[in-house]
Amino acid sequence: MATQSTRTATDNDTPSDDRDTARPMHDRDTELSVLAIVPAYNEAGTIADVVAETSRYVDKVVVIDDASTDGTESRAREVADGVVSHPRNMGVGGAVHTGYLVGVREEFDVVVQIDGDGQHDPADIPRLLERIADGADMVIGSRFLNDSYREYSLVRRAGIRFFTWEVNALAGLDITDVTSGFRAYTTALLADLSRPENSHWALEQTLEASRKGYRIVEVSTPMPPETDGSQFDLGTFLKYPPRMIKTTMKVLLFR
Amino acid sequence: MFGFSAIHVIGIVAGLALLYQSYRLVAARKEGIFEFLLWAGFGVGLLVISIGSALETVDLLAALEGGLSALGFARGTDSIFFVSNLLLLFVVFYTYVQLVESRRQLSDLTQELALLRYDLEQRTDDED
Ligand SMILES: Nc1nc2c(ncn2[C@@H]2O[C@H](COP(=O)(O)OP(=O)(O)O)[C@@H](O)[C@H]2O)c(=O)[nH]1
Ligand SMILES: [Mg+2]
């Protein structure tokens, strides 16, 4: 069931000079079966497009609806191959973890994780998958390997840089965007990770994977900031110091 | 021989209540042996201190203070407070650990419930 794809690319044999995006990865390079999981909390406006686009590059798309209150679930059901609906909100960490469980239990080879808010471009998925095929266990899509980081507020950039620096320093990694939620993993890795906490799941996950000896690489993925998100407000600014202390403690103490 | 004042009565009632309630819970299998011993231990402790300090023939407080100062505590009454706070801290920590564990189990259940529904839907989808 996992390996069977209902979507066959129509243009498999047409040569195309644009990006390597038109054809499903598994038909071309490898026999890897790929599940995409889309965590979504109140993303009714964007979820259908994200799912429709994503399904061009993977075998199956499952939306994890995190108890949305805005019709995300019904929009998702129209387009996705499956929808897992949390009976109560569990936060991003809980949502992605539910997705990992699907990937592991349905015995996919690879899980791609892409946000439901449209921040990530599904057309980048084949490049993430390529690195998995090359032997990486985790691929992170980074907004710092291209110009999109410039659109983020200084506070946010500083925050991401700080967290990334911390993880790099303590886990001996060399990545640029540890907070990115655009990722691909082998299910072998996912099966070996513990449940993440709901905030800062990305940080914990990266650390744990690195400590367990998995190979983590990055690819450049454009990632505009949320359109409705305010650029520089005092609230985010004030939240940073306690968050930084908390994540620093995690980095130091989590084994 | 007895010098009961209100504080002693309160102590005795609270001690008996703790003993009775923890017995009731363990009898109904609503708590484990460890929890039973913990709470019943507090109950017995309360009874001993309340009755003991109400007895005029035995100077329990002095004995306690003596015992504690033998351990190296400077002043008797202070050390009693210190020890009881230590015990309470232990109880709070234990309760906290249990709470974290329950929260994790609740998350597991929430996920399993959602996944079960998803599985059922996937099966009905396959049929049509
Ligand atoms: N904010 C939020 N997002 C959630 C939650 N559960 C799942 N998500 C989804 O997780 C993804 C990332 O969330 P977002 O707030 O955009 O995080 P950011 O882009 O890293 O700042 C989005 O697709 C959300 O819809 C939740 O409880 N809160
Ligand atoms: Mg986002």
Side-chain angles (χ1 to χ4, degrees):
Chain A
M1 174 188 169
T3 43
Q4 178 216 339
S5 168
T6 45
R7 272 171 303 284
T8 358
T10 46
D11 54 351
N12 245 350
D13 298 310
T14 31
S16 80
D17 54 359
D18 56 35
R19 284 194 281 173
D20 52 348
T21 55
R23 291 167 291 172
M25 173 74 188
H26 61 279
D27 282 352
R28 195 189 49 191
D29 281 340
T30 64
E31 291 303 317
L32 294 176
S33 60
V34 182
L35 169 75
I37 57 167
V38 190
Y41 177 64
N42 290 347
E43 312 285 8
T46 47
I47 191 71
D49 285 347
V50 171
V51 171
E53 269 302 298
T54 300
S55 56
R56 298 174 56 201
Y57 308 106
V58 299
D59 297 302
K60 182 174 184 178
V61 182
V62 171
V63 172
I64 321 300
D65 164 45
D66 198 19
S68 299
T69 52
D70 71 340
T72 298
E73 186 183 350
S74 51
R75 295 292 287 129
R77 282 188 195 284
E78 290 164 18
V79 280
D81 299 307
V83 177
V84 187
S85 269
H86 286 166
R88 65 180 181 90
N89 182 271
M90 294 184 74
V92 187
V96 297
H97 186 245
T98 302
Y100 305 157
L101 290 175
V102 174
V104 171
R105 291 181 188 179
E106 296 188 0
E107 297 179 346
F108 281 91
D109 299 314
V110 181
V111 170
V112 171
Q113 172 184 328
I114 180 167
D115 280 0
D117 59 3
Q119 255 187 300
H120 306 147
D121 185 357
D124 291 325
I125 291 175
R127 288 192 301 114
L128 264 67
L129 293 176
E130 253 165 46
R131 302 302 300 273
I132 295 276
D134 289 348
D137 301 297
M138 179 191 293
V139 186
I140 304 174
S142 167
R143 75 200 100 187
F144 282 88
L145 295 177
N146 51 65
D147 278 347
S148 44
Y149 73 91
R150 291 179 201 279
E151 298 164 48
Y152 286 76
S153 71
L154 283 174
V155 186
R156 192 129 173 232
R157 262 195 253 172
I160 299 175
R161 286 220 194 265
F162 175 78
F163 294 142
T164 304
W165 168 81
E166 239 179 357
V167 170
N168 280 339
L170 285 139
L173 283 170
D174 186 21
I175 55 177
T176 58
D177 193 356
V178 77
T179 62
S180 165
F182 196 10
R183 295 179 177 219
Y185 321 84
T186 61
T187 42
L189 175 152
L190 292 177
D192 196 19
L193 290 183
S194 31
R195 159 195 293 289
E197 229 188 272
N198 282 334
S199 52
H200 307 295
W201 63 269
L203 207 111
E204 278 170 45
Q205 179 187 78
T206 315
L207 266 174
E208 189 182 353
S210 145
R211 287 205 167 121
K212 288 184 171 166
Y214 290 100
R215 225 185 115 210
I216 303 171
V217 300
E218 273 186 330
V219 297
S220 156
T221 55
M223 204 183 290
E226 290 93 337
T227 39
D228 54 354
S230 53
Q231 279 291 295
F232 191 104
D233 63 6
L234 194 65
T236 18
F237 191 77
L238 290 178
K239 263 188 249 153
Y240 264 105
R243 276 174 138 206
M244 285 192 178
I245 294 170
K246 198 177 161 199
T247 51
T248 309
M249 298 292 293
K250 280 187 181 176
V251 172
L252 290 172
L253 296 176
F254 279 18
R255 282 285 165 261
Chain B
M1 180 189 159
F2 286 107
F4 282 112
S5 58
I7 193 73
H8 299 125
V9 177
I10 291 173
I12 291 170
V13 170
L16 287 175
L18 256 179
L19 272 177
Y20 172 69
Q21 292 292 358
S22 59
Y23 169 72
R24 223 171 44 93
L25 283 172
V26 78
R29 304 192 184 193
K30 284 183 181 162
E31 75 180 354
I33 298 300
F34 177 76
E35 286 86 349
F36 168 69
L37 291 176
L38 181 71
W39 299 119
F42 272 102
V44 170
L46 257 178
L47 283 181
V48 168
I49 288 180
S50 311
I51 297 176
S53 58
L55 284 178
E56 278 151 0
T57 42
V58 196
D59 197 346
L60 183 80
L61 282 181
L64 269 178
E65 290 184 12
L68 285 166
S69 58
L71 283 174
F73 288 106
R75 284 187 40 212
T77 338
D78 282 357
S79 13
I80 292 176
F81 277 115
F82 178 79
V83 171
S84 48
N85 275 314
L86 211 62
L87 283 173
L88 283 177
L89 186 70
F90 164 73
V91 172
V92 171
F93 181 71
Y94 174 76
T95 315
Y96 173 75
V97 170
Q98 297 287 311
L99 185 71
V100 169
E101 174 64 10
S102 320
R103 240 192 249 149
R104 199 190 54 74
Q105 286 173 353
L106 193 65
S107 296
D108 282 349
L109 284 175
T110 308
Q111 283 179 312
E112 289 305 330
L113 182 68
L115 287 169
L116 196 67
R117 271 200 317 218
Y118 160 83
D119 272 348
L120 285 173
E121 283 160 13
Q122 294 275 299
R123 264 165 227 196
T124 34
D125 283 355
D126 284 353
E127 277 160 24
D128 28 81

